[in-house]
């Protein structure tokens, strides 16, 4: 088996593929840019550069071994030429080959295969070699190297001469050789669209070469081949050298050639995988530079070499957390983008992870020539821009990934998507988001036979169902880079988890920590004893059941720590507190202010985005050594620790699931830092038996949620199937549903209703709601009645509106047309406030009344229009009885719109959360949800002509909600990972536009911006470059589309 190393060697080729060598050049020799000395066959390095002096007409080639200095050779050419021109029935192609054969006998060279500087050269070489083989009537073996040709090493001017001959002679006729070449170039999954499609750095143009035309005889008559060769080589020698670094030219040539080789290899051979798993060796260097990855783990190598991957079959692979799953996915993604020249969609569960991945892969995109596009919240274009040259990597949340796939199916571009990668595949079984993920994958499987699906997870059990659903192969391994030791703690005793024993535990040790009576009362679970064994030298995570518990644990631990802990990296901790104060405009959480000097903080959804990012960066840098966090961190950004402590076997009030437990303990052990990782589950005596069951139980099965989440699941799927014309009859819908995870698991349905009956009821419900038109007959023979989607139905699925609210939204938008208040944006904000946030809202009536009274008369009219009279608010605030019922959803929604209205005016989450007595994390979540929902309402209105007036208004409002900052900061905040606090720092330092950031020097950024690491600076610059490149590409595509001549101009044929 091959060594599991990052640097996988390319297999040596047969003799005909080895490099050629020319006669050595004297040190004083003069050389042209093309006629450089090439390395000998034994050389592995780049070609040696020969010093060049000024060219002169008298001695252009000096002592260089060439055609020009070989008079006998040129005489031979003349003789052969005259001989073959006398015979008019002789095929010119054969003459050319014999001439070349004679030339070959006079010059001793070896083929230079690895440094082809353009796609034209590469394709032309293949044609001439094929032509020679065909002339000899030898069958072509795809596994055999082509015969050597002297034209391999001719300068470009000579090659252009032969092409010019072809253009003058061939007319509209193309030779079989050219046809073969064109077929070859266009054969990568049948969809290569441009000459540069597999060599990003190659020159454009792909002229057919034809040596078989009789009319070439005339060209030979008018001017001899000898004269042509002389003049062409003289012109080539005189050619001016571009003022470009030779090193850079060489690097680009190597990268271009390796991408070509990688693509050809992937298409033709599943065994020889080229320099780096079918990718340029530059990719290996980039992983080393950006990630510090020198070698691959053995399992990663084995997985990438799987026959199923070579054959482009779908694949599910499962390994423990921290096993290195993502690296395998990234290599497969790069193969798709660079070698197969297809777009890729990567689906990740959370916005923070999407943004982290966009930052991480933008650097690769800049270096390798592909685009990275973020699809989260209100970001992303639907459908995405169709790129002519560069390919795109779309990184999306589950919801945005679904909308993106819908738009590609609708525009008949789904086959442009070569690969979908799904991280955390087990989320198929988690609520409405699982239903959306299932719908997305089912549509891709049904509509595209060319799109490969790769799913990965650390916690999968019923893999057979998932394999059947995704029509996928399965790979699993128990590898972890760092050994994980699992323990549980009962009272002051630590037990090792051992599945071989009867009860699952074996005694390990007793805690050696002296507790005073006061400390025992404050810390009955011995958390302090457990954490002081590892901090501050090593890092530690404490998972707590609730947000409040996180803050309490952090406060309690620092209260009893010794003062020596404060001295550890004291200045950096003070800088962190200062940074948090800047984020809060002078305010900082009192708990964090108390705990950070000890290197401790909490981490949960109650923090703002800026606060959470600052704390994560400080923990990763080792400034913070202990985080008290909720379970969401386990599934979020990667923050590993030496020791993971589970404060209790509960998440909120629910007992821990095996999947959750595995994800939490998977954070223990940092590859390359720790020799082992430890997890300790704190257990009360009463929960001992439940924990034994938890330890010994298998992972939970993954079940379809299409039926459990009716309006976001089954009904949403049925509506979009008809809208996208994937299935428009009851029978077609039945066939589609059999290919879903629900269809695979339909034996689990209750016996009362079959899947077909559930589908029938769902379609009837959609017809009743006015979203579909048609008739579902009771009789089977009428099941082929065609269903069509209404305008409201189309707007609903294209806007990704929950079917539970689509009719209500339509009525409120319609009512708004009668009297939309535009004195301020309050009325628009009400329409953009998400419905699903209202159930968690409990208005403070005194605050409600005070804010209402502060509104202008026109703004107060908004409350009347939506149905919340002033009298109702007044009576609620004074505690009086309410006789007239008012819809609580409308009341709560208006209250939330007051929050958003205040937030857009003040642009400060801290002050708004204090004013409304809400947690700042809740206000942050409201803002993010409103931005996303405003984008959905905008797409909804775009499909309904009567709502044309909302389009411009909602476009601007969506932008305001997305960034919620002063206008001048918006360009900087468009860059992935740049939040408000960082944007302010950059703006104040003089980086005021996207172009400023894209052209910034990372080293200068580090010096000028406080609390910015070198790695973060590089990521910001790369992300800015990527965004600038993406915008420039979009404008270029628009320009080319505008200048493109229509194909249906009247009077043209």
């Amino acid at each position: 088996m091959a060594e599991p190393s990052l640097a996988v060697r390319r297999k040596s080729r047969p003799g005909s593929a080895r490099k050629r060598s020319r006669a050595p050049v004297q040190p004083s020799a003069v050389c042209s840019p093309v006629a450089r000395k090439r390395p000998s066959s034994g050389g592995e390095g780049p070609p040696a550069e020969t010093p060049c002096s000024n060219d002169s007409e008298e001695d252009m080639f000096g002592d260089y071994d060439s055609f020009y200095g070989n008079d006998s050779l040129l005489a031979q050419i003349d003789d052969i030429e005259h001989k073959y021109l006398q015979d008019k029935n002789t095929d010119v192609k054969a003459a050319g080959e014999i001439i070349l054969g004679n030339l070959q006998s006079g010059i001793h060279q070896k083929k230079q295969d690895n440094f082809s500087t353009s796609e034209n050269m590469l394709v032309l070489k293949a044609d001439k070699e094929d032509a020679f083989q065909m002339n000899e009537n030898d069958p072509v073996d795809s596994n055999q190297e082509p015969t050597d040709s002297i034209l391999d090493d001719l300068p470009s001017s000579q090659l252009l001469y032969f092409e010019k001959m072809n253009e003058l002679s061939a007319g509209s006729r193309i030779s079989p050789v050219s046809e073969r070449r064109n077929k070859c170039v266009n054969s990568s999954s049948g969809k290569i669209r441009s000459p540069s499609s597999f060599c990003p750095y190659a020159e454009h143009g792909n002229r057919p070469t034809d040596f078989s035309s009789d009319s070439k005889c005339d060209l030979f008559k008018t001017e001899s081949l000898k004269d042509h060769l002389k003049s062409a080589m003289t012109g080539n020698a005189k050619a001016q050298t571009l003022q470009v670094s030779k090193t850079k030219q060489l690097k680009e040539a190597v990268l271009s050639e390796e991408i070509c080789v990688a693509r050809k290899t992937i298409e033709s051979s599943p065994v020889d995988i080229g320099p780096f798993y079918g990718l340029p060796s530059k990719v290996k260097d980039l992983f080393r530079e950006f990630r510090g990855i020198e070698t691959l783990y053995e399992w990663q190598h084995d997985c990438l070499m799987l026959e199923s991957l070579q054959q482009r079959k779908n694949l599910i692979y499962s390994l423990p957390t921290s096993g290195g799953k993502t690296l395998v996915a990234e290599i497969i993604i790069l193969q798709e983008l660079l070698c197969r020249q297809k777009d890729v969609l990567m689906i990740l569960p959370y916005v923070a992870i999407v943004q982290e991945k966009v930052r991480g892969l933008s650097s690769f995109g800049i270096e390798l020539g592909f685009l990275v596009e973020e699809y989260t919240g209100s970001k992303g274009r639907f459908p995405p821009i169709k790129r002519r040259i560069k390919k795109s990597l779309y990184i999306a949340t589950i919801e945005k990934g679904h909308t993106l796939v819908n738009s590609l199916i609708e525009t008949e571009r789904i086959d442009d998507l070569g690969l979908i990668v799904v991280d955390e595949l087990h989320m198929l079984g988690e609520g409405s988001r699982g239903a959306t993920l299932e719908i997305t994958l089912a549509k891709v499987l049904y509509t595209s036979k060319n799109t490969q699906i790769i799913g990965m997870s650390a916690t999968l059990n019923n893999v057979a169902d998932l394999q059947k659903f995704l029509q996928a192969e399965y790979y699993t391994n128990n590898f972890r880079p760092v050994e994980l030791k699992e323990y549980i703690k009962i009272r002051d005793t630590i037990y090792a988890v051992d599945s071989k024993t009867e009860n699952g535990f074996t005694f390990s040790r007793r805690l050696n920590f002296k507790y005073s009576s006061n400390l025992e009362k404050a810390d009955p679970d011995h958390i302090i004893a457990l954490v002081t064994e590892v901090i501050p030298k090593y890092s530690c995570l404490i998972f707590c059941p609730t947000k409040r518990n996180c803050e309490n644990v952090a406060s309690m631990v620092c209260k009893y720590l010794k003062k020596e802990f404060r001295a550890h990296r004291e200045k950096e901790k003070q800088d962190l507190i200062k940074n948090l104060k800047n984020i809060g405009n002078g305010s900082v959480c009192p708990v964090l202010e108390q705990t950070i000097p000890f290197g401790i903080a909490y981490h949960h959804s109650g923090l703002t985005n800026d606060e959470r990012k600052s704390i994560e960066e400080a923990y990763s840098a080792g400034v913070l050594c202990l985080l008290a966090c909720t379970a969401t961190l386990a599934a979020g950004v990667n923050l590993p620790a030496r020791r993971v402590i589970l404060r209790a076997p509960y998440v909120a009030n629910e007992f821990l699931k095996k999947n959750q437990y595995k994800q939490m303990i998977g954070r223990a052990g940092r590859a390359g830092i720790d020799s082992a990782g430890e997890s300790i589950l704190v257990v009360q005596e009463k929960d001992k038996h439940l924990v034994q069951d938890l330890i010994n139980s298998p992972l939970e099965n993954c079940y379809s949620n299409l039926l459990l989440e009716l309006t976001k699941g089954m009904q949403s799927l049925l509506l979009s199937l008809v809208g996208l014309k994937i299935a428009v009859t009851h029978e077609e819908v039945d066939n589609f549903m059999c290919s879903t995870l629900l269809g695979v698991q339909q034996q689990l349905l209750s016996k009362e209703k079959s899947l077909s009956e559930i589908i029938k009821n769902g379609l009837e419900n959609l017809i009743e709601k006015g979203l579909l038109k048609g008739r579902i007959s009771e009789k089977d023979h009428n099941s082929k009645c065609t269903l069509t989607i209404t305008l409201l139905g189309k707007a609903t699925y294209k806007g990704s509106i929950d079917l539970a609210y689509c009719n209500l939204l339509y009525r409120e938008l319609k009512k708004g047309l009668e009297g939309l208040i535009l004195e301020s944006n309050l009325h628009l904000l009400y329409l953009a406030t998400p419905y699903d946030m209202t159930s968690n809202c409990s208005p403070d009536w005194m605050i409600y009344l005070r804010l209402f009274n502060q509104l202008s008369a026109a703004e107060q009219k908004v409350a009347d229009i939506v149905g919340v009279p002033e009298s109702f608010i007044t009576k609620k605030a004074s505690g009086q009885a309410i006789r007239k019922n008012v819809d609580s959803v409308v009341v709560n929604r208006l209250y939330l719109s007051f929050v958003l209205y205040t937030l857009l005016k003040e642009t400060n989450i801290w002050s708004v959360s204090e004013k409304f007595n809400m947690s700042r994390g809740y206000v942050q979540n409201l803002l993010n949800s409103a931005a996303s929902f405003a984008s959905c309402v905008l797409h909804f209105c775009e499909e309904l002509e009567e709502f044309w007036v909302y389009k411009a208004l909602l476009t601007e409002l969506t932008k305001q909600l997305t960034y919620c900052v002063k206008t001048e900061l918006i360009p900087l905040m468009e860059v992935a990972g740049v939040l408000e606090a960082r944007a302010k720092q950059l703006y104040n330092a003089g980086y005021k536009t996207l172009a400023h950031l894209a052209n910034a020097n990372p080293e200068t950024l580090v010096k000028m911006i406080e609390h910015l690491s070198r790695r973060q600076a590089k990521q910001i610059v790369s992300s800015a470059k990527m965004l600038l490149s993406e915008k420039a590409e979009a404008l270029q595509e628009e320009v080319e589309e505008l200048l493109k001549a229509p194909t249906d101009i009247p009077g043209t044929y």
Side-chain angles (χ1 to χ4, degrees):
M1 190 181 70
E3 186 72 13
S5 166
L6 190 68
V8 176
R9 294 181 181 175
R10 186 188 306 191
K11 293 190 178 181
S12 60
R13 300 179 183 273
S16 61
R18 297 191 188 108
K19 298 177 183 177
R20 298 186 178 194
S21 62
R22 285 183 173 147
V25 182
Q26 299 299 323
S28 60
V30 181
C31 71
S32 74
V34 177
R36 291 197 191 101
K37 181 179 177 181
R38 298 182 184 251
S40 66
S41 58
E44 291 295 324
E49 300 287 348
T50 306
C52 296
S53 57
N54 293 331
D55 294 335
S56 67
E57 290 194 28
E58 289 77 17
D59 186 16
M60 284 197 172
F61 298 99
D63 297 326
Y64 196 85
D65 181 15
S66 68
F67 289 69
Y68 205 90
N70 193 339
D71 291 333
S72 62
L73 180 62
L74 294 176
Q76 278 184 316
I77 292 173
D78 270 340
D79 292 342
I80 295 168
E81 181 182 4
H82 288 303
K83 176 184 174 183
Y84 278 89
L85 287 176
Q86 288 170 4
D87 186 357
K88 296 198 176 188
N89 295 323
T90 301
D91 189 86
V92 176
K93 183 171 80 172
E97 294 294 348
I98 294 172
I99 290 169
L100 294 178
N102 282 278
L103 289 176
Q104 197 167 13
S105 67
I107 298 175
H108 302 290
Q109 297 177 334
K110 288 200 174 183
K111 184 180 177 185
Q112 173 91 14
D113 185 54
N114 286 348
F115 294 92
S116 176
T117 57
S118 74
E119 181 180 336
N120 285 337
M121 291 275 285
L122 188 70
V123 175
L124 199 58
K125 283 194 286 184
D127 283 352
K128 293 179 181 73
E129 288 163 354
D130 285 348
F132 186 84
Q133 287 180 338
M134 290 171 66
N135 209 45
E136 294 294 320
N137 296 318
D138 285 339
V140 179
D141 185 350
S142 61
N143 294 321
Q144 194 173 5
E145 290 293 331
T147 308
D148 293 341
S149 168
I150 191 65
L151 293 182
D152 287 3
D153 294 315
L154 283 181
S156 57
S157 56
Q158 279 92 316
L159 294 175
L160 289 172
Y161 161 68
F162 285 116
E163 291 184 356
K164 186 68 178 174
M165 286 199 306
N166 172 62
E167 286 178 6
L168 293 172
S169 63
S172 60
R173 194 160 58 86
I174 298 176
S175 74
V177 175
S178 297
E179 290 184 50
R180 280 186 58 194
R181 185 205 48 214
N182 291 337
K183 184 177 178 182
C184 176
V185 170
N186 290 299
S187 66
S188 178
S189 302
K191 291 283 189 300
I192 301 299
R193 286 177 172 75
S194 72
S196 64
S197 62
F198 64 88
C199 287
Y201 298 91
E203 295 175 5
H204 292 284
N206 194 12
R207 303 178 184 87
T209 304
D210 186 354
F211 289 109
S212 62
S213 173
D214 292 340
S215 62
K216 287 199 184 80
C217 293
D218 296 330
L219 285 167
F220 278 114
K221 288 176 183 176
T222 57
E223 190 174 358
S224 74
L225 179 60
K226 172 181 172 182
D227 293 335
H228 268 297
L229 289 175
K230 282 184 180 180
S231 61
M233 293 180 71
T234 302
N236 191 70
K238 284 182 176 182
Q240 293 293 316
T241 305
L242 292 173
Q243 297 301 309
V244 180
S245 161
K246 291 181 180 178
T247 306
K248 183 177 179 183
Q249 283 181 319
L250 183 60
K251 284 182 179 177
E252 290 188 352
V254 171
L255 178 62
S256 173
E257 193 274 338
E258 286 190 340
I259 288 177
C260 295
V261 170
R263 175 182 167 274
K264 288 168 67 181
T265 302
I266 278 182
E267 287 176 2
S268 62
S269 170
V271 180
D272 181 5
I273 56 173
F276 178 62
Y277 300 102
L279 288 164
S281 56
K282 182 175 182 180
V283 174
K284 173 186 64 181
D285 298 334
L286 292 177
F287 275 117
R288 183 184 297 113
E289 179 185 349
F290 297 145
R291 304 282 178 79
I293 297 172
E294 294 285 344
T295 58
L296 266 66
Y297 298 128
E298 186 174 350
W299 83 264
Q300 291 172 326
H301 174 75
D302 293 345
C303 187
L304 287 166
M305 294 293 289
L306 288 174
E307 189 176 346
S308 55
L309 274 184
Q310 307 298 321
Q311 296 173 359
R312 285 185 55 74
K313 291 182 180 177
N314 297 341
L315 178 69
I316 300 169
Y317 63 100
S318 176
L319 281 97
T321 303
S322 304
K325 297 184 293 295
T326 306
L327 178 60
V328 170
E330 288 174 351
I331 291 173
I332 297 170
I333 286 170
L334 293 175
Q335 287 174 344
E336 196 69 31
L337 289 164
L338 300 179
C339 303
R340 298 191 182 94
Q341 286 291 302
K342 292 280 190 165
D343 296 328
V344 177
L345 169 61
M346 188 177 198
I347 298 178
L348 302 169
Y350 303 110
V351 173
I353 307 177
V354 170
Q355 292 175 339
E356 185 182 44
K357 191 58 66 181
V358 169
R359 291 196 300 274
L361 290 176
S362 288
S363 306
F364 286 85
I366 294 296
E367 294 292 331
L368 297 171
F370 62 87
L371 298 173
V372 179
E373 300 183 38
E374 178 186 343
Y375 279 77
T376 61
S378 61
K379 294 181 180 178
R381 298 170 185 256
F382 303 104
I385 295 172
K386 188 176 177 66
R387 314 282 183 184
R388 286 183 174 83
I389 301 173
K390 288 187 177 180
K391 296 303 167 186
S392 292
L393 167 58
Y394 312 115
I395 306 181
T397 56
I398 292 170
E399 294 75 15
K400 290 297 173 181
H402 177 224
T403 309
L404 179 65
V405 165
N406 279 348
S407 69
L408 290 172
I409 293 172
E410 185 177 31
T411 53
E412 298 182 350
R413 287 169 49 195
I414 191 64
D415 281 332
D416 290 350
L417 201 60
L419 174 69
I420 294 181
V421 173
V422 182
D423 195 9
E424 310 295 355
L425 186 64
H426 61 269
M427 288 198 74
L428 277 167
E430 296 186 15
S432 62
R433 306 194 78 212
T436 304
L437 182 57
E438 180 181 347
I439 291 169
T440 305
L441 296 177
K443 285 176 180 174
V444 172
L445 287 164
Y446 196 83
T447 58
S448 174
K449 301 305 176 190
N450 299 319
T451 305
Q452 185 181 19
I453 296 175
I454 306 288
M456 51 182 170
S457 174
T459 54
L460 288 178
N461 191 29
N462 57 330
V463 178
D465 285 354
L466 300 180
Q467 276 187 269
K468 191 173 179 183
F469 165 46
L470 295 176
Q471 303 157 33
E473 302 289 315
Y474 180 57
Y475 176 88
T476 187
N477 197 303
N478 292 322
F479 172 81
R480 269 186 63 92
V482 177
E483 182 189 1
L484 174 61
K485 297 175 181 177
E486 294 180 50
Y487 300 97
I488 67 164
K489 186 193 82 69
I490 303 174
R491 295 195 183 93
D492 64 346
T493 306
I494 306 288
Y495 297 90
V497 173
D498 187 352
S499 57
K500 296 175 185 177
T501 60
E502 187 177 341
N503 62 2
F505 314 137
T506 57
F507 174 82
S508 177
R509 63 187 173 93
R510 290 190 183 277
L511 286 175
N512 183 22
F513 190 90
K514 293 180 180 179
Y515 269 77
S516 65
S517 58
N518 287 338
L519 185 54
E520 188 75 42
K521 289 177 184 176
D523 183 24
D525 294 323
H526 309 100
I527 299 295
I528 293 172
L530 294 174
V531 300
T532 51
E533 290 178 346
V534 289
I535 66 170
K537 188 177 180 182
Y538 301 106
S539 58
C540 181
L541 294 174
I542 305 176
F543 284 104
C544 303
T546 65
K547 289 185 282 188
R548 174 62 62 190
N549 196 228
C550 290
E551 297 177 30
N552 291 342
V553 166
S555 296
M556 183 270 294
V557 171
C558 75
K559 199 176 291 183
Y560 292 96
L561 286 181
K562 295 177 182 178
K563 290 184 179 179
E564 295 89 88
F565 282 89
R566 297 177 70 102
H568 181 73
R569 302 182 74 162
E570 187 173 8
K571 184 185 180 301
E572 289 155 287
K573 288 186 284 196
Q574 290 304 319
D575 287 344
L576 175 58
I577 292 174
K578 182 182 173 184
N579 187 35
L580 290 172
K581 281 185 178 177
N582 291 337
I583 289 170
N585 284 354
S587 301
V588 66
C589 171
V591 175
L592 291 175
E593 197 168 23
Q594 174 199 4
T595 62
I596 286 175
F598 290 90
I600 298 169
Y602 65 82
H603 184 289
H604 57 58
S605 61
L607 297 168
T608 66
N609 291 344
D610 281 291
E611 288 174 319
R612 195 155 52 238
K613 187 170 176 60
S614 293
I615 288 170
E616 288 167 0
E617 288 172 355
Y619 177 82
S620 297
V623 176
L624 297 175
C625 55
L626 173 64
L627 288 185
C629 52
T630 52
T632 51
L633 185 138
V637 291
N638 187 24
L639 296 175
R642 173 67 172 267
R643 176 176 288 180
V644 169
I645 300 168
L646 280 67
R647 172 75 177 71
Y650 291 90
V651 173
N653 296 319
E654 293 185 9
F655 195 78
L656 200 61
K657 294 178 182 176
K658 185 63 175 276
N659 288 353
Q660 293 170 326
Y661 171 73
K662 283 291 186 184
Q663 279 197 320
M664 289 180 194
I665 68 172
R667 294 297 183 198
R670 297 165 299 171
I673 300 174
D674 299 324
S675 56
E678 299 173 339
S679 71
I680 300 174
L681 173 58
V682 178
V683 181
Q684 305 300 321
E685 195 68 46
K686 64 183 179 66
D687 294 325
K688 184 177 178 181
H689 293 296
L690 290 172
V691 170
Q692 284 177 337
D693 293 340
L694 173 72
I695 299 297
N696 296 319
S697 65
L699 294 163
E700 287 82 15
N701 285 337
C702 184
Y703 295 116
S704 172
N705 276 269
L706 285 182
L707 293 183
L708 296 176
E709 300 290 336
L710 197 59
T711 56
K712 290 185 179 179
M714 176 63 83
Q715 289 188 7
S716 174
L717 172 58
L718 296 176
L719 180 66
S720 61
L721 287 180
V722 176
L724 294 168
K725 297 183 174 61
I726 295 172
V728 293
T729 68
H730 189 183
E731 184 181 7
E732 288 175 353
V733 174
D734 279 349
N735 290 338
F736 177 91
M737 291 303 297
C738 289
S739 64
T740 62
L741 181 59
L742 177 64
V744 171
Q745 297 175 335
Q746 60 181 294
Q747 71 276 8
L748 302 174
L749 295 172
S750 64
K751 295 179 181 178
E752 296 173 7
K753 280 188 177 181
S754 66
L755 182 57
S756 183
E757 288 175 308
I758 292 169
I759 293 167
K760 178 175 170 293
N761 292 342
L763 292 172
E764 288 173 344
N765 188 273
L766 292 173
I767 292 170
E768 286 174 19
K769 286 183 176 180
L771 302 175
L772 291 181
K773 287 190 292 187
R775 189 166 50 87
I776 305 297
S777 175
E778 296 291 336
K779 298 179 182 179
D780 289 339
H781 64 271
N782 281 336
S783 66
K784 293 186 179 179
C785 293
T786 301
L787 296 164
T788 55
I789 195 165
T790 64
L791 287 174
L792 177 60
K794 187 176 182 182
T796 300
Y797 92 77
K798 291 197 76 171
S800 302
I801 305 295
D802 189 337
L803 270 62
Y805 306 118
C806 61
N807 283 299
L808 177 58
L809 176 63
Y810 178 81
R811 288 196 301 270
E812 290 191 321
L813 288 168
K814 188 81 173 172
K815 192 176 181 180
L817 290 179
E818 298 170 10
L820 192 63
I821 307 296
L822 294 176
E823 182 182 280
S824 71
N825 55 14
L826 179 61
H827 200 167
L828 276 175
L829 280 170
Y830 173 80
L831 296 172
T833 301
Y835 291 101
D836 54 6
M837 293 286 288
T838 58
S839 58
N840 299 324
C841 175
S842 300
D844 184 316
W845 295 106
M846 292 304 295
I847 296 173
Y848 210 148
L849 180 61
R850 185 170 67 248
L851 284 166
F852 183 85
N853 290 330
Q854 290 172 359
L855 299 175
S856 68
E859 289 171 336
Q860 287 181 353
K861 194 177 177 184
V862 174
D864 280 331
I865 291 173
V866 301
V868 184
E870 181 181 1
S871 59
F872 173 81
I873 301 172
T874 306
K875 287 180 180 178
K876 274 287 190 181
S878 60
Q880 297 179 38
I882 307 293
R883 292 180 183 177
K884 186 180 179 182
N885 287 331
V886 178
D887 189 346
S888 62
V889 172
V890 175
V891 173
N892 291 357
R893 199 162 174 237
L894 182 64
Y895 187 68
L896 293 177
S897 63
F898 282 0
V899 178
L900 292 169
Y901 179 59
T902 309
L903 193 54
L904 288 185
K905 283 202 297 186
E906 299 184 11
T907 68
N908 184 273
I909 290 174
W910 265 92
S911 63
V912 173
S913 64
E914 289 173 2
K915 188 173 286 187
F916 284 88
N917 197 23
M918 294 175 167
S919 78
R920 56 196 187 282
Y922 181 85
V923 175
Q924 177 80 73
N925 187 33
L926 172 64
L927 180 63
N928 295 342
S929 299
S932 184
F933 187 66
S935 175
C936 292
V937 176
L938 172 60
H939 293 306
F940 180 88
C941 292
E942 284 173 343
E943 298 302 318
L944 297 168
E945 195 175 333
E946 60 193 297
F947 294 149
W948 63 271
V949 71
Y950 287 116
K951 294 177 189 176
L953 296 170
L954 286 170
T955 300
E956 186 58 33
L957 183 69
T958 301
K959 195 173 184 179
Q960 290 177 19
L961 288 168
T962 299
Y963 301 109
C964 192
V965 291
K966 292 178 181 177
T967 308
E968 63 265 23
L969 296 181
I970 289 178
L972 301 177
M973 289 189 65
E974 288 180 336
V975 178
V978 175
L979 300 177
E980 184 180 2
R982 185 73 78 207
K984 285 179 180 176
Q985 285 181 310
L986 292 166
Y987 189 85
N988 293 334
Y991 297 95
K992 299 184 177 183
T993 66
L994 186 60
H996 281 142
L997 271 187
N999 292 285
N1001 183 331
E1003 297 299 327
T1004 309
L1005 276 180
V1006 172
K1007 292 175 185 174
M1008 296 183 69
I1009 308 298
E1010 288 185 334
H1011 321 300
L1012 184 68
S1013 69
R1014 188 168 281 99
R1015 176 174 165 273
Q1016 291 162 353
K1018 287 180 178 178
Q1019 285 189 340
I1020 286 174
V1021 172
S1022 292
S1023 297
K1025 282 181 179 176
M1026 177 56 67
L1027 187 58
L1028 197 63
S1029 172
E1030 185 188 323
K1031 289 188 173 189
E1033 290 275 341
L1035 290 172
Q1036 185 63 36
E1037 299 284 350
E1038 196 174 330
V1039 168
E1040 290 184 14
E1041 193 62 36
L1042 283 171
L1043 297 177
K1044 187 178 177 182
T1047 56
D1048 56 349
I1049 300 173
T1052 58
Y1053 301 98

